[in-house]
Amino acid sequence: MAEQNLFEGLAGESRVFKNREKITPHYTPEKLPFREKQINEMVLALKSALTGQKADNIFLYGKTGTGKTACTRHVLAQLDEFIQKNGLAAKAIYLNCRNYNSKYKVLSTVVQDMYPDKDFIGYSGSFIYEKLTEFCSEKKLSAIIALDEIDKVKDLDDLVYALTRANDEIKKGAVSVIGISNMLTFKERLDPRTKSSLCEKELVFPPYNAQELMKILEARAKEAFKEGVVMDSAINLAAAIAAQESGDARTAVMLLLRAGEIAEKEGSAKISDKEVEKARKSVEEQIVFEMISTLPEQQQLVLLSIAKLTIEKKGVRKLKGEEEGILFSGEIFDEYKRIAASYKESPVSTRWFQQYINELEMYGLLSTTASGKGLRGNTRLIKLSMDPKEIRTTLEKQLNQ
Ligand SMILES: Nc1ncnc2c1ncn2[C@@H]1O[C@H](COP(=O)(O)OP(=O)(O)OP(=O)(O)O)[C@@H](O)[C@H]1O
Ligand SMILES: [Mg+2]
């Protein structure tokens, strides 16, 4: 009997997916239930751009997976369509600052978008800035620059100042900013002047509850999967897990995607709570590692020093009644300063360092306890909650980019 070809059965149509793309996290759905208010507010803030005036600067914030990126992309796509259709002098540009993390990178990318036929590599910051004001002035154009994950911009105060100042130099036309962040303490860290320019209008994206996530998943599942494949129990469980963790729609969407892949691999044409349960671990891990790779660089350096000390068993000691893998915050700070220097970053003060530790704890990446009396005054004991080797690999890959 001839052996079965390795590709047998793979070229055929999926029994599970109708359109797999639509249940992937980067797909922007047409409808975004439970975000009507935020979308309307964005539209109102942007409407001045339609008449060549400056739109309000908007600051969007909320925890991960609450629809900030999806709503922004949706509104900007609608705006773009309207601008094209009516031949208006307005332009929307979306950037993720994870990839463009400095004033220079942001402005040169914006200007490149304005002059697609020219090449701006290697030009000075001031030349790029002039090109931006020149473009808006000549075309009497209102530009809207959406900066997603804006907390990643290293010289954000300078960037926001430059964009604000551009409005004084552009005679007709304007520049406005949509800033997006999921870092809860980020706004407090800004220079007061940056804060007041950036936050002319603020939009909060609260976490979704289980009921809302169920509705969101039902709609997305209908687009992505064949009829009758996804059982209600699967949707209920995925929504419940995501609501319990953080009200994050990305987790919910990924659980269903992964559950679909598991069903497909196992040759089943049904997705039940069993497949969702199986998907849970891999999704949770993936989400944590994605989160780690998008932390601000300084926090990554702090986390990397903890991972390294844990792996090298340096400074780790077994205290009475304590588990293994415990570090002193002072030792971490020393290691952090060394690592920061090796990446040519200047280390933050101890106060910020403590704040970073607090945030890393809030994200569930580590746990801390006060050392109690007798042990070096008020030092803290810190323990990593994740596999240190995986953390090190993820971070080194990110930091060496
Ligand atoms: N109201 C909604 N309806 C349908 N899908 C949604 C909704 N809100 C979010 N999603 C989906 O959830 C996923 C995460 O949303 P999004 O990327 O917008 O989150 P975010 O707030 O930008 O998170 P982060 O802060 O991590 O960048 C995406 O796949 C998105 O399409
Ligand atoms: Mg986002």
Side-chain angles (χ1 to χ4, degrees), residues 22-29 31-35 62-72 94 96 98 148-149 180-183 205 208 212-213 215-217 219-220 248-254 294:
K22 295 198 168 178
I23 193 82
T24 56
H26 60 260
Y27 177 78
T28 308
K31 288 215 169 65
L32 292 152
F34 314 108
R35 287 298 177 246
K63 286 189 181 169
T64 186
T66 50
K68 302 178 297 295
T69 298
C71 289
T72 305
Y94 170 92
N96 190 313
R98 210 194 291 178
D148 205 347
E149 307 195 28
I180 306 169
S181 177
N182 62 16
M183 287 194 54
F205 284 64
Y208 297 110
E212 291 170 339
L213 287 169
K215 290 269 177 344
I216 289 173
L217 282 184
R220 303 234 6 204
D248 164 0
R250 184 180 296 113
T251 305
V253 166
M254 276 171 57
T294 62

Side-chain angles (χ1 to χ4, degrees), residues 46-55 76 78-93 113-114 135-136 139-145 172-176:
L46 297 178
K47 82 169 192 250
S48 322
L50 301 177
T51 49
Q53 287 156 313
K54 186 186 161 302
L76 293 187
Q78 290 277 301
L79 177 65
D80 205 42
E81 191 187 299
F82 193 79
I83 292 169
Q84 301 298 331
K85 202 170 79 189
N86 297 289
L88 302 174
K91 185 171 184 58
I93 300 165
D113 191 274
M114 293 173 161
F135 186 87
C136 296
K139 300 206 171 333
K140 302 186 179 59
L141 174 137
S142 181
I144 294 156
I145 305 173
K172 290 209 162 120
V175 178
S176 61

